[in-house]
């Protein structure tokens, strides 16, 4: 379970410091998400869980006459996004909880997110709030991971440590909370006309002559391997890291470290 305090603390800081690597992992997903968004009308765009700003900045460039606002819980990620977006007049970033955010001067008619909505503590309340502050007929477009078994970047890491005695609820806030479309339909209070488009892509963890070391650096800080290393006893960390190196080696080919990944691109309309 990934909680708000994680994004406000070490998890958000790690993602901010590694934004170039994390953007690269989504390099084959982001264009598909942007293509879906491009088909939607909207001049006031809200990017939910905007992270270091890649999606918001792309949308600001694509809609120069529009306005884009990116929000995220992490001060570190917002600082990274603001630095990347310096000098762009039609995009701004703010530290905010999407489940409580509102701006009377900015009523979004298009709400988007790249993997940012699966971490809501109370998804129905959060989506109902977003619908309430959105313009009539507003559209919603977001991406989220499908099941862990379809995402080798996660399933390949599962054997690094023994499974917990008490398995976590797969629908608790985290990367795979929205894997099940039926569950998502139940969570999207205030939204209708839901559609789910599957998108498979290569999760690129490293490339070039030092691809394996790039991947190792990424996984030490981001994702299930990082969590395992943080929680492990000191005596166990060397073994976990060696198993991580073995996983990386098994997924290295032609100078790239890649893992299969699977996402949903979800669209909806304000009810």
């Amino acid at each position: 379970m990934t909680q708000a305090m994680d994004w406000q603390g070490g998890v958000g800081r790690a993602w901010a410091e590694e934004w170039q690597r994390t953007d690269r992992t989504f390099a084959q997903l982001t264009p598909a998400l942007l293509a879906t968004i491009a088909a939607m009308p909207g001049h006031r765009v809200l990017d939910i869980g905007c992270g270091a700003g890649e999606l918001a900045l792309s949308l600001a460039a694509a809609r120069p006459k529009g306005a884009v606002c990116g929000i995220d819980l992490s001060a570190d990620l917002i600082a990274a996004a603001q630095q990347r977006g310096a000098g762009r007049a039609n995009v701004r970033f703010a530290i905010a909880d999407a489940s409580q955010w509102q701006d009377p001067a900015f009523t979004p008619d298009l709400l988007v997110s790249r993997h940012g909505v699966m971490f809501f503590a109370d998804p129905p309340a959060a989506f109902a709030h977003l619908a309430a502050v959105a313009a009539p007929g507003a559209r919603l477009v977001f991406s989220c991971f499908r099941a862990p078994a379809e995402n080798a970047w996660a399933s390949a890491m599962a054997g690094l440590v023994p499974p917990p005695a008490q398995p976590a609820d797969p629908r608790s806030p985290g990367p795979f909370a929205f894997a099940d479309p039926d569950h998502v339909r139940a969570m999207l209070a205030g939204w209708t006309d839901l559609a789910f488009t599957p998108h498979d892509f290569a999760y690129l963890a490293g490339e070039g002559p030092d691809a394996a070391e790039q991947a190792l650096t990424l996984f030490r800080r981001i994702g299930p391997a990082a969590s395992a290393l943080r929680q492990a006893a000191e005596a166990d960390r060397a073994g976990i890291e060696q198993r991580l190196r073995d996983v990386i080696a098994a997924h290295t080919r032609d100078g790239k470290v890649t893992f299969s990944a699977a996402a949903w691109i979800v669209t909806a309309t304000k009810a």
Side-chain angles (χ1 to χ4, degrees), residues 241-265:
E241 185 159 306
Q242 183 55 57
R243 292 193 289 277
L244 175 57
R245 287 181 180 275
D246 293 341
V247 167
I248 290 170
H251 287 81
T252 301
R253 184 175 180 181
D254 299 329
K256 294 182 179 181
V257 181
T258 58
F259 296 79
S260 61
W264 293 115
I265 295 178

Side-chain angles (χ1 to χ4, degrees), residues 3 5-6 48 54 56 58 88 114 155 210 217 258 266 269:
Q3 301 181 19
M5 67 181 69
D6 299 319
I48 304 159
E54 183 181 29
S58 296
R88 300 198 182 191
R114 185 183 70 183
S155 59
D210 62 342
T217 299
T258 58
V266 183
T269 303

Side-chain angles (χ1 to χ4, degrees), residues 162-207:
Q166 183 66 38
D169 180 353
R171 293 177 175 177
S172 63
F176 300 103
F178 280 12
D180 179 2
D182 288 338
H183 175 64
V184 176
R185 290 185 183 95
M187 295 297 101
L188 261 69
W191 300 88
T192 188
D193 298 329
L194 273 67
F196 295 77
T197 301
H199 182 73
D200 298 327
F201 64 102
Y203 181 106
L204 180 60
E207 62 181 338

Side-chain angles (χ1 to χ4, degrees), residues 4 53 86 118 146 165 172 174 190:
M118 307 97 75
R146 300 199 318 258
S172 63

Side-chain angles (χ1 to χ4, degrees), residues 9-252:
V11 172
R13 187 160 50 252
W15 277 75
E17 292 172 354
E18 298 290 341
W19 69 262
Q20 291 167 306
R21 291 189 174 95
T22 55
D23 279 359
R24 182 174 60 190
T25 65
F26 289 121
Q28 291 189 18
L29 169 66
T30 302
L33 180 58
L34 286 169
T36 302
I37 295 169
M40 304 291 176
H43 297 286
R44 296 177 304 280
V45 185
L46 180 68
D47 184 358
I48 304 159
C50 67
E54 183 181 29
L55 189 66
L57 293 169
S58 296
L59 292 171
R63 301 182 187 220
K65 295 183 179 180
V68 180
C69 176
I71 58 173
D72 201 283
L73 287 170
S74 168
D76 295 291
L77 281 165
I78 289 297
Q82 289 172 333
Q83 184 175 19
R84 295 174 73 182
R88 300 198 182 191
N90 69 329
V91 63
R92 61 187 174 91
F93 297 95
I95 304 167
D97 181 343
S99 67
Q100 300 176 30
W101 173 90
Q102 59 181 331
D103 181 351
F106 189 91
T107 303
D109 51 10
L110 177 59
L111 295 84
V112 303
S113 183
R114 185 183 70 183
H115 281 50
V117 298
M118 307 97 75
F119 301 95
F120 292 145
D122 185 345
F127 282 111
H129 171 76
L130 289 168
V133 300
R139 302 301 303 273
L140 172 67
V141 184
F142 66 83
S143 63
C144 57
F145 282 121
R146 300 199 318 258
E150 298 179 81
N151 285 275
W153 66 269
S155 59
M157 305 295 170
L160 295 177
V161 294
Q166 183 66 38
D169 180 353
R171 293 177 175 177
S172 63
F176 300 103
F178 280 12
D180 179 2
D182 288 338
H183 175 64
V184 176
R185 290 185 183 95
M187 295 297 101
L188 261 69
W191 300 88
T192 188
D193 298 329
L194 273 67
F196 295 77
T197 301
H199 182 73
D200 298 327
F201 64 102
Y203 181 106
L204 180 60
E207 62 181 338
D210 62 342
E213 287 304 313
Q214 291 178 26
L216 182 63
T217 299
L218 175 69
F219 290 133
R220 278 172 173 161
R221 305 205 66 197
I222 303 293
S227 178
L229 286 166
R230 284 194 301 270
Q231 297 173 17
E234 183 69 32
D236 296 331
R237 288 177 188 165
I240 294 172
E241 185 159 306
Q242 183 55 57
R243 292 193 289 277
L244 175 57
R245 287 181 180 275
D246 293 341
V247 167
I248 290 170
H251 287 81
T252 301

